[in-house]
Amino acid sequence: MKGLSSLKWTTVDELELDEKVKGILKERGVIRLNPVQTEAIKKGLLKGKRLLVASPTASGKTLVAELGMISHVTNGGKAVYVVPLRALAQEKYDTLKSWEKLGVKVGITSGDYDSDDEWLRYYDIVVSTYEKLDSLWRRRATWLSQVNYYVLDEVHYINDGERGPVIEGITIRSKRAGNLLALSATVSNYVEIADWLGAEPVVIDWRPVKLREGVLFPEGRRFRVQFDDGSIETVKGVDPIVAFTLRSIEAGGQVLIFRNSRRNAEATARRVAEFLDETENDLTSALNEEDVVNEEREGLEPLLRRGVAYHHAGLSKRTRDLIESAFRTRRLKVIAATPTLAAGVNLPARTVIIGDYHRYNRKVLGFQEEIPVMEYKQMSGRAGRPGFDDSGEAVIVVRNAREAERVMKKYVLSQPEELKSRLGSELAFFSFVLGVLASDGPLTEMELRKFASESLMTREVLERYLDRAINWLTEREFVKLGRKLSLTSFGRRVADLYVNPFTADLIKEKLTKSELGCNLAYLQLLASTPDAPVVSVGRYEEDRLYDELDCELMVEEPEDETERYEFLSSLKVGLIVRDWINEEPEEKILETYNVGSGDLNAVVETMDWLTYSGHHVCNVLGLSEHAKRLSLLNARVKDGVSEELLDLVKIRGVGRKRARLLYDSGVRSVLDVLANPEKVKSILGARLGESVIEQAARALTGLHK
DNA sequence: GATGCGCATGTGTAGACAGCATGTC
DNA sequence: CTACACATGCGCATC
């Protein structure tokens, strides 16, 4: 880590930049560059030097990327900015828009957007998620060959077991395709990583707001906070989190509390709220107007009135957005959240409390492990609002003084873990090989080995998996052997659909040998693949799940305990989606299966993709009867309707509820809508009816939705 | 016989990427 | 690599 000597600032005026660029910076209020930005420029950012910028959260890395891209693009180049989350893509896209005054065209693509990918060729800068870019590469989008500058944001995601392998693959291709700028949280092996990237490391431990970190632990009948600067505080109360939260609010700050489960987050929010008075705000009425599901409103209403909320992925997107924006505008004083808020969009608070440093491990039953230091830094880094707070404070709650010392050493005073390859698993590596062959194939085995050797994997791990991957992919007919390795039409389709080869293989295996099954059988099969959503199954509901099972499945129940748990999850996902396409009301599904609105959304979204993929996998395999069933299922999953409503939901603005209303009143098709305008208006109301009729006319001509 | 307590036992557990449809973010 | 917090139920002492 660089010492204080390198903490220099430069003014924008000093920079060798186009005057128009400087003008835009000044318009934004940027008159000087912070130490991270200054160092990046010193190391050659504007001269096309490859860099790895590793610095804390909120240290101004985005501006580094902007300057790098602008200087590249104004010289006639084309750049892609890659991020790990859709929400982040949106955030970066909004920021980059300000460069359009220079004539720089900025576009965005991710699963959120409808995309004719070829359209992206008209932009100078394209913001994308890693998976979307991977998909574009596999499909060989022609415009990608013009891209010669890649910004890899949050590359430390490489350490994520599930998504890291994709980022590793993107990094290799970026290295091969041109210049790159990698942005990362601070990592301990930055020299090794920079070396891997062929980049110069820019490593500065600088934050815009000072950060005090501490441990919070019981001492006698009080709680003691020991900060890393040596200062000590005591707070009184029964619960350490509540006590410290109240102390921070009294000092006029906002508090962000991280808990390791939804239940804990909700319970903490309620506990804090008990000590706060009701205040005037418009949040509860906003909840009502926004048509939020009952359960969410009832849970949050009494808390919001006291300036408190909980936040996790079980909540609907709407509710989460409402809470985030209320916190930003200071209408909320406290949010108790799961890690959603640590990784996602920027939402700082003066005080951050990390309530747990253990987390349940889904893969090993009954095992809880300590969270990585990197994640601690991610959370504590949210403390301190630039421009508002003089300094931020982050405390981590521990059991006793002895633990406090250990935790202080491990989390506060130490470096985050090393960045390591996660390609060393069949699930990740086989998919990686399929992707490489899709984007760069056909390849000889030597060429493939060369490609893989450019990853972060060690030689031994690579050798262990390469032959296995080639054998498996060949045996299962994804790849054909010849002078070179190339994809079969099946392999090509699977790569395009972006499903894991194990997903495709399971679909292939089961449907090749099965007769037509019931809808539940198809859904449960898809829910058994590695790409499927996972839901938790309570002991009490096992029996009920079996009761609902009224037809034969294609995937048999396993003996093994862990696998049985996965089986129950797949059965539950299948049943949820079956209810969904049978038009059970959302509220009822949430109640029956004890899931949140956000969970239902995620399940439907993923199963939409999987039914679509299953349909196309069957098509390419010549399983046309299964394909038909899956295609119909896909259409129904998309909108959550039975078959008879499929025509009506083609109309924009008509979803499952309105379609049912119209149908039951005898308006049963797009044509019926157009033929009975008065009836439609009487069912849906004059204004809505009018627009539905208009949209129906467009639907008829084959346009949109 | 109702109430309250300590203890043993039971229970559940974070998040979020990908295809495609329209007109072109 | 095999944890936690919290909820529930029980036996027991107490009034």
Side-chain angles (χ1 to χ4, degrees):
Chain A
M1 194 81 23
K2 288 283 153 61
L4 288 171
S5 60
S6 58
L7 294 186
K8 293 200 189 82
W9 294 69
T10 37
T11 63
V12 167
D13 283 323
E14 292 172 64
L15 298 173
E16 285 176 52
L17 280 174
D18 190 292
E19 284 308 316
K20 280 190 249 164
V21 174
K22 290 184 184 177
I24 289 183
L25 288 176
K26 285 178 188 165
E27 250 174 58
R28 274 210 226 158
V30 179
I31 40 171
R32 34 178 222 157
L33 299 188
N34 75 34
V36 176
Q37 295 150 357
T38 302
E39 181 73 5
I41 287 180
K42 199 176 122 201
K43 291 262 174 80
L45 174 73
L46 305 176
K47 296 185 184 113
K49 196 83 191 285
R50 274 195 191 183
L51 300 177
L52 163 65
V53 181
S55 62
T57 319
S59 56
K61 287 185 290 241
T62 304
L63 188 59
V64 174
E66 291 181 78
L67 292 175
M69 286 192 292
I70 289 302
S71 67
H72 178 82
V73 161
T74 47
N75 284 326
K78 190 175 171 82
V80 173
Y81 191 150
V82 212
V83 295
L85 302 173
R86 292 175 187 172
L88 235 36
Q90 187 63 52
E91 195 180 72
K92 303 301 177 191
Y93 171 75
D94 292 340
T95 310
L96 286 165
K97 270 283 174 187
S98 68
W99 296 103
E100 295 211 316
K101 289 174 211 145
L102 282 183
V104 172
K105 290 202 285 298
V106 184
I108 180 171
T109 179
S110 78
D112 275 342
Y113 292 82
D114 320 331
S115 59
D116 173 350
D117 301 329
E118 281 308 306
W119 182 258
L120 297 168
R121 71 166 62 250
Y122 299 109
Y123 299 101
D124 301 299
I125 297 174
V126 174
V127 184
S128 172
T129 53
Y130 281 100
E131 283 80 359
K132 183 66 185 191
L133 177 60
D134 193 22
S135 162
L136 290 167
W137 236 316
R138 287 175 175 211
R139 294 157 163 272
R140 308 187 185 216
T142 51
W143 60 271
L144 274 174
S145 62
Q146 296 155 26
V147 178
N148 41 16
Y149 194 82
Y150 287 91
V151 176
L152 310 177
D153 201 2
E154 317 250 6
V155 266
H156 54 271
Y157 261 74
I158 277 184
N159 262 6
D160 183 290
E162 276 176 46
R163 306 194 38 213
V166 172
I167 295 159
E168 215 174 318
I170 292 292
T171 307
I172 301 172
R173 291 203 192 94
S174 305
K175 279 202 288 181
R176 292 184 151 212
N179 198 357
L180 66 82
L181 170 64
L183 309 177
S184 169
T186 34
V187 293
S188 46
N189 61 335
Y190 63 86
V191 173
E192 182 194 340
I193 299 300
D195 197 46
W196 174 53
L197 296 169
E200 177 89 10
V202 175
V203 182
I204 307 268
D205 190 14
W206 177 86
R207 291 176 37 99
V209 186
K210 267 186 299 177
L211 174 63
R212 296 164 72 218
E213 291 168 88
V215 281
L216 170 59
F217 57 97
E219 192 189 56
R221 300 175 60 189
R222 295 159 177 245
F223 297 99
R224 181 181 169 104
V225 196
Q226 184 126 21
F227 284 101
D228 56 349
D229 61 5
S231 63
I232 288 165
E233 260 186 67
T234 44
V235 286
K236 277 188 282 188
V238 259
D239 180 311
I241 297 181
V242 175
F244 197 74
T245 300
L246 295 176
R247 158 248 177 238
S248 303
I249 295 174
E250 273 156 34
Q254 284 177 292
V255 185
L256 201 50
I257 304 167
F258 289 108
R259 299 299 320 256
N260 66 354
S261 74
R262 294 175 181 183
R263 192 177 60 176
N264 281 340
E266 295 189 11
T268 299
R270 280 191 289 269
R271 233 173 288 148
V272 169
E274 270 178 42
F275 292 88
L276 298 174
D277 296 327
E278 293 200 6
T279 51
E280 288 278 324
N281 65 43
D282 55 349
L283 294 173
T284 52
S285 54
L287 271 184
N288 287 314
E289 278 165 34
E290 294 274 349
D291 184 31
V292 161
V293 294
N294 279 325
E295 187 233 349
E296 266 175 26
R297 198 178 47 243
E298 283 162 15
L300 281 164
E301 215 163 36
L303 303 180
L304 294 181
R305 259 188 243 143
R306 292 172 160 80
V308 181
Y310 52 84
H311 184 292
H312 56 66
L315 299 176
S316 61
K317 183 83 177 63
R318 242 183 212 163
T319 303
R320 285 157 72 182
D321 287 345
L322 178 79
I323 290 167
E324 286 166 32
S325 104
F327 194 73
R328 271 197 199 96
T329 54
R330 313 205 80 170
R331 285 176 291 167
L332 286 180
K333 297 189 192 103
V334 182
I335 297 182
T338 54
T340 358
L341 279 186
V345 294
N346 194 23
L347 194 78
R350 189 194 292 175
T351 304
V352 166
I353 301 176
I354 294 141
D356 316 83
Y357 53 97
H358 289 281
R359 186 176 47 210
Y360 176 75
N361 182 331
R362 273 211 184 114
K363 294 184 188 74
V364 191
L365 223 58
F367 178 50
Q368 201 167 81
E369 59 200 352
E370 294 193 345
I371 59 168
V373 178
M374 188 110 67
E375 282 191 40
Y376 164 82
K377 301 283 181 195
Q378 196 83 252
M379 294 190 276
S380 62
R382 297 272 134 153
R385 308 199 314 161
F388 294 97
D389 302 320
D390 293 335
S391 79
E393 53 189 13
V395 300
I396 179 165
V397 181
V398 298
R399 205 174 11 209
N400 54 46
R402 238 185 70 199
E403 262 308 83
E405 198 183 337
R406 192 182 66 78
V407 165
M408 181 70 135
K409 209 179 273 175
K410 168 167 177 175
Y411 287 105
V412 181
L413 304 174
S414 303
Q415 287 278 305
E417 300 63 21
E418 300 195 329
L419 239 46
K420 284 193 307 213
S421 178
R422 303 289 161 174
L423 272 169
S425 77
E426 291 194 344
L427 206 57
F429 194 77
F430 292 9
S431 177
F432 169 75
V433 170
L434 184 77
V436 172
L437 290 174
S439 59
D440 293 76
L443 297 175
T444 63
E445 199 176 319
M446 273 310 281
E447 288 167 328
L448 180 61
R449 175 175 276 104
K450 168 80 172 57
F451 199 109
S453 71
E454 290 171 31
S455 75
L456 260 179
M457 273 185 295
T458 60
R459 187 106 231 145
E460 304 78 71
V461 176
L462 193 169
E463 290 304 331
R464 187 153 79 234
Y465 283 97
L466 192 60
D467 283 349
R468 259 153 80 185
I470 294 172
N471 288 338
W472 190 87
L473 289 167
T474 313
E475 251 166 48
R476 311 288 166 136
E477 298 171 306
F478 291 91
V479 168
K480 44 179 187 271
L481 293 172
R483 200 176 62 77
K484 292 189 170 193
L485 301 169
S486 60
L487 294 184
T488 61
S489 53
F490 172 58
R492 165 52 63 186
R493 200 72 190 90
V494 171
D496 284 352
L497 290 166
Y498 210 76
V499 289
N500 190 286
F502 283 97
T503 293
D505 188 58
L506 186 71
I507 295 172
K508 179 183 168 196
E509 186 212 321
K510 296 297 181 192
L511 293 185
T512 303
K513 70 179 189 199
S514 300
E515 296 297 310
L516 294 188
C518 58
N519 283 338
L520 182 61
Y522 288 101
L523 295 171
Q524 192 267 336
L525 165 61
L526 296 169
S528 304
T529 64
D531 286 310
V534 176
V535 293
S536 67
V537 180
R539 256 183 230 296
Y540 63 93
E541 59 181 348
E542 280 185 31
D543 292 344
R544 222 200 45 239
L545 294 183
Y546 285 115
D547 289 347
E548 295 284 324
L549 214 178
D550 52 9
C551 60
E552 201 186 333
L553 298 179
M554 301 181 197
V555 179
E556 57 284 355
E557 184 180 342
E559 303 280 312
D560 177 88
E561 185 62 21
T562 313
E563 286 175 30
R564 210 181 74 87
Y565 193 75
E566 288 166 3
F567 171 82
L568 288 172
S569 168
S570 70
L571 181 55
K572 182 164 165 176
V573 167
L575 290 168
I576 289 174
V577 178
R578 188 174 75 173
D579 279 4
W580 170 250
I581 63 177
N582 286 339
E583 295 180 48
E584 292 293 345
E586 177 176 348
E587 298 269 3
K588 196 182 158 211
I589 298 177
L590 303 186
E591 200 186 324
T592 310
Y593 297 98
N594 190 29
V595 291
S597 176
D599 299 314
L600 176 60
N601 249 305
V603 164
V604 168
E605 191 182 19
T606 308
M607 291 300 282
D608 175 7
W609 168 52
L610 285 176
T611 45
Y612 178 86
S613 300
H615 157 62
H616 283 282
V617 164
C618 287
N619 261 342
V620 74
L621 293 172
L623 303 168
S624 54
E625 291 306 309
H626 286 306
K628 270 185 218 157
R629 298 289 302 276
L630 282 163
S631 170
L632 181 60
L633 260 179
N634 177 238
R636 293 182 56 189
V637 171
K638 234 178 241 306
D639 289 286
V641 293
S642 43
E643 203 174 338
E644 62 197 23
L645 298 189
L646 285 177
D647 193 48
L648 283 171
V649 292
K650 284 184 190 145
I651 305 168
R652 174 178 284 178
V654 176
R656 63 200 306 249
K657 288 188 199 160
R658 286 171 188 168
R660 177 47 64 192
L661 268 174
L662 290 167
Y663 192 93
D664 289 346
S665 310
V667 182
R668 298 185 177 170
S669 66
V670 177
L671 283 174
D672 286 354
V673 169
L674 294 169
N676 306 288
E678 288 315 313
K679 197 165 179 186
V680 170
K681 280 188 228 170
S682 78
I683 299 166
L684 298 177
R687 242 176 109 177
L688 185 60
E690 195 76 52
S691 93
V692 162
I693 291 158
E694 200 176 300
Q695 293 298 332
R698 302 188 63 186
L700 199 61
T701 60
L703 291 171
H704 80 255
K705 181 151 176 171

